[in-house]
């Protein structure tokens, strides 16, 4: 790609657990990005379904995939392990259950290439509920802001964000004592230290919330504890 600035390397990192239904589609989406990642680092928290086998099969074909299986880790621990392994200058973060658009990574990285003072980028999360319940629970747990507000708040969220690895090192990683809301605390810590975050509305990623009431109730209980 001729218009790419040489020099910015990007590792995509993600944590997965029992994502056998979605992980093949997610890997295909990440590997067919218009801006190809230099590396994809996946931490699996000890899946009991075929998630690990599916990732292994992809890894045989694509040496840029690195898989670490660490049973029992929470999302914050998994992300920190993945980022520590990442060899690139910029880290792009996503999650199981997400579907990035074909130009997601290109649009996530563009602000870094356009402006060397940018430290972090928040992408555009599109909630994709297959039922009214999923749609509503997704809207409740996804920050919705317009461009101006997003640029002012300087917040970026774990399942659709990118930042310089130096930011992660300076902040000290995601807080591992939290089961949830770890990304809000991480973004706030970065903001307090004066790191500059911008919003990239063209970096679109579809996210499907959890499908049933018990899981959602648990998610909100944990979000409440985490935010508290």
């Amino acid at each position: 790609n001729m218009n790419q600035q040489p020099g910015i390397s990007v590792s995509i990192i993600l944590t997965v657990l029992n994502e056998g239904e979605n992980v093949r589609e997610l890997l295909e989406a990440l590997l067919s990005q218009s801006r190809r990642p230099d590396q994809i680092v996946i931490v699996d928290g000890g899946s009991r379904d075929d998630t690990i086998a599916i990732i292994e099969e992809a890894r045989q074909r694509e040496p840029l995939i690195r898989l670490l299986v660490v049973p029992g880790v929470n999302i914050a621990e998994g992300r920190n392990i993945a980022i520590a392994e990442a060899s690139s200058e910029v880290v792009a973060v996503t999650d199981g259950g997400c579907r990035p658009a074909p130009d997601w990574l290109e649009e996530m990285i563009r602000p870094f290439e356009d402006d060397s003072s940018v430290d972090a980028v928040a992408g555009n999360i599109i909630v994709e509920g297959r039922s009214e319940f999923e749609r509503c629970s997704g809207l409740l747990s996804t920050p919705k802001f317009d461009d101006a507000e997003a640029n002012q708040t300087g917040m970026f969220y774990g399942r659709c964000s990118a930042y310089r690895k130096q930011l992660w090192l300076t902040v000290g990683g995601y807080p591992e004592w939290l089961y949830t809301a770890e990304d809000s605390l991480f973004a706030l810590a970065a903001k307090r230290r004066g790191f500059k975050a911008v919003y990239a509305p063209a970096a679109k990623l579809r996210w499907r919330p959890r499908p049933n009431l018990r899981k959602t109730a648990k998610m909100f209980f944990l979000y409440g504890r985490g935010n508290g």
Side-chain angles (χ1 to χ4, degrees), residues 19-21 23-25 27 50-59 61:
E19 285 286 345
E21 284 174 43
V23 75
R24 192 175 270 113
E25 188 184 6
L27 285 172
D50 55 356
T51 302
I52 294 169
I54 293 167
I55 297 168
E56 267 303 325
E57 183 195 328
R59 199 179 65 80
R61 297 193 314 271

Side-chain angles (χ1 to χ4, degrees), residues 11 39 41 66 68 80-88 165 168:
S11 296
Q39 188 188 33
V41 185
R66 180 131 170 62
L68 299 147
N80 286 338
I81 290 165
I83 297 165
E85 280 292 317
S87 56
S88 304
K165 188 168 174 179
W168 174 83

Side-chain angles (χ1 to χ4, degrees), residues 126-200:
I126 296 155
V127 177
E128 202 175 55
R130 290 180 204 177
S131 64
E132 186 59 17
F133 174 75
E134 282 183 22
R135 209 179 57 74
C136 292
S137 83
L139 290 173
L140 281 171
S141 54
T142 308
K144 201 71 202 136
F145 34 50
D146 62 25
D147 300 10
E149 189 192 340
N151 279 328
Q152 278 168 3
T153 57
M155 291 299 282
F156 47 95
Y157 291 88
R159 66 176 61 86
C160 186
S161 61
Y163 40 82
R164 296 184 192 277
K165 188 168 174 179
Q166 191 55 51
L167 176 151
W168 174 83
L169 286 166
T170 305
V171 169
Y174 287 92
E176 297 187 351
W177 44 275
L178 277 178
Y179 276 91
T180 177
E182 74 295 324
D183 47 358
S184 303
L185 236 72
F186 178 69
L188 283 167
K191 194 183 169 182
R192 273 202 303 273
R193 287 172 183 259
F195 286 107
K196 178 178 171 180
V198 298
Y199 177 49

Side-chain angles (χ1 to χ4, degrees), residues 63-85:
L64 60 83
I65 295 174
R66 180 131 170 62
L67 171 64
L68 299 147
V69 180
V70 192
V73 290
N74 66 22
I75 289 176
E77 291 166 332
R79 283 193 185 138
N80 286 338
I81 290 165
I83 297 165
E85 280 292 317

